[in-house]
Amino acid sequence: MELVTLADIRTAADHIAGVAVRTPLLPAWWAGTDLWLKPEGLQPIGSFKLRGAYNTVASLPEEKRRAGIIAHSSGNHAQAAAYSARAFGVPCVVVMPNVAVPMKVEATRALGAEVILVPPPERDDVMAKIAQERGLNRVPPFDHPDVIAGQGTIGLEIVADLPDVDVVLVPVGGGGLASGVASAIKALRPAAAVIGVEPALAADAADSLSSGELRKWPTEQTYRTIADGLRTNLSELTFAHLSERLDGMVTVSEDEILDAMTRMVRGSRVLVEPSGAVATAAYLHHRAELPQGRTAAVVSGGNADPKLLADVFV
């Protein structure tokens, strides 16, 4: 299987320039002297997903792009697809689980997308059916080389800002973010370790990588975690990337995720959703399992449910 290259990621960086925010690395002094946060919640749609979605739409031939796009997502990729479609002036349909955070559904609609709510296991099938019926271009949340390349631009920026980085912690859901970041980091700084982090309640990636074969966890298992952006299984494409380019996996508990959210807001004034807090949670609670040295934690998004935030910070 052909994997994404550094050249692909650099092309993606050209595509997203002026659209995606080049987020800073923030020193997290409150957690130690060797931790930096990459706050992707600063993106216009509140998460890293804009990078991959926009690169994918930009990479479509103009004639195909005019037909419009379709995506499926629990929320952040939905907003990224809608934002990208609006930027190019093309139609957008997003299939979302009927248990998605209402704020994310409303934000996707506000960006001009048609939202279709379905039970979580039906998302792929419904998206495929509508794509065929309407002639729409699929923009998957992670299972596409252009999406992976777009997410990999985060790795380019980390190395540019912290050339001697030793460890990069990155959340893992469907694996597109970790695939892209690992591809960039390993090409630019091979000595650095890239560690994936996921909730223990949705640890299909850790299960797959430890067993050496792709393992799918059912939604009734993965939907137990509060980290709604990390409930998706790996694909064959992302499994291939992570098998070759990831140095390890760490899982974190629900309490550890909530603790990291609280400490990031108080310490760095970074608004973070549960999925975005897992990398920092690994640093805070699992240091003994991690390589030592200058560490960058990818904070993948800040689209937290206001009700959850109220509970966390009471």
Side-chain angles (χ1 to χ4, degrees), residues 24 33 39-40 43 54 66 81 94 97 104 122 128 133 140 142 149 159 188 206 228 244 249 258 275 297:
T33 59
E40 285 294 296
Q43 296 296 342
Y54 191 89
R66 276 202 265 346
V94 182
K104 294 184 178 182
E122 298 178 15
E133 291 174 349
F142 53 87
V159 174
L188 294 170
D228 61 294
E244 182 169 318
M249 287 289 304
L258 292 171
S275 302

Side-chain angles (χ1 to χ4, degrees), residues 16 20 40-41 43-57 72-84 104 139-143 146-148 150-151 153-154 171-178 228-230 232 238 273 275 298-303:
I16 69 172
E40 285 294 296
Q43 296 296 342
I45 51 89
S47 87
F48 76 97
K49 290 285 192 177
L50 179 59
R51 297 171 182 266
Y54 191 89
N55 182 54
T56 304
V57 178
H72 75 76
S73 167
S74 62
N76 286 340
H77 180 66
Q79 294 171 71
Y83 189 97
S84 300
K104 294 184 178 182
V139 180
F142 53 87
D143 190 27
D146 292 333
V147 173
I148 292 173
Q151 321 307 24
T153 59
I154 292 173
V172 179
L177 173 61
D228 61 294
L230 305 180
T232 310
T238 56
E273 62 187 283
S275 302
V298 178
V299 183
S300 56
N303 292 319

Side-chain angles (χ1 to χ4, degrees), residues 71-106:
H72 75 76
S73 167
S74 62
N76 286 340
H77 180 66
Q79 294 171 71
Y83 189 97
S84 300
R86 188 177 72 169
F88 283 100
V90 301
C92 177
V93 177
V94 182
V95 180
M96 300 183 72
N98 55 10
V99 293
V101 175
M103 180 186 75
K104 294 184 178 182
V105 176
E106 293 163 9

Side-chain angles (χ1 to χ4, degrees), residues 19 58 60 62 71 87 103 190 198 236 271 281 310:
V19 177
L60 288 169
E62 187 175 351
M103 180 186 75
E198 65 184 343
E236 294 283 356
L271 183 63

Side-chain angles (χ1 to χ4, degrees), residues 3 9 60 67 93-94 130 189 196 217 222 230 254 263 286:
L3 304 186
I9 297 170
L60 288 169
V93 177
V94 182
I130 295 173
R189 184 161 168 75
W217 283 27
T222 61
L230 305 180
E254 302 297 286
R263 294 171 68 178
H286 297 268

Side-chain angles (χ1 to χ4, degrees), residues 28 30-31 35-37 169-171 195-200 226-227 230 250-264 272-290 295-300:
W30 47 271
L35 176 66
W36 286 260
L37 306 180
L169 304 176
V170 57
I195 306 296
V197 187
E198 65 184 343
I226 197 173
L230 305 180
V250 172
T251 61
V252 293
S253 72
E254 302 297 286
D255 286 343
E256 290 166 350
I257 294 170
L258 292 171
D259 176 66
M261 289 177 66
T262 303
R263 294 171 68 178
M264 291 167 72
V272 60
E273 62 187 283
S275 302
V278 298
T280 306
Y283 181 91
L284 294 174
H285 296 281
H286 297 268
R287 289 295 304 282
E289 301 172 42
L290 300 173
T295 302
V298 178
V299 183
S300 56

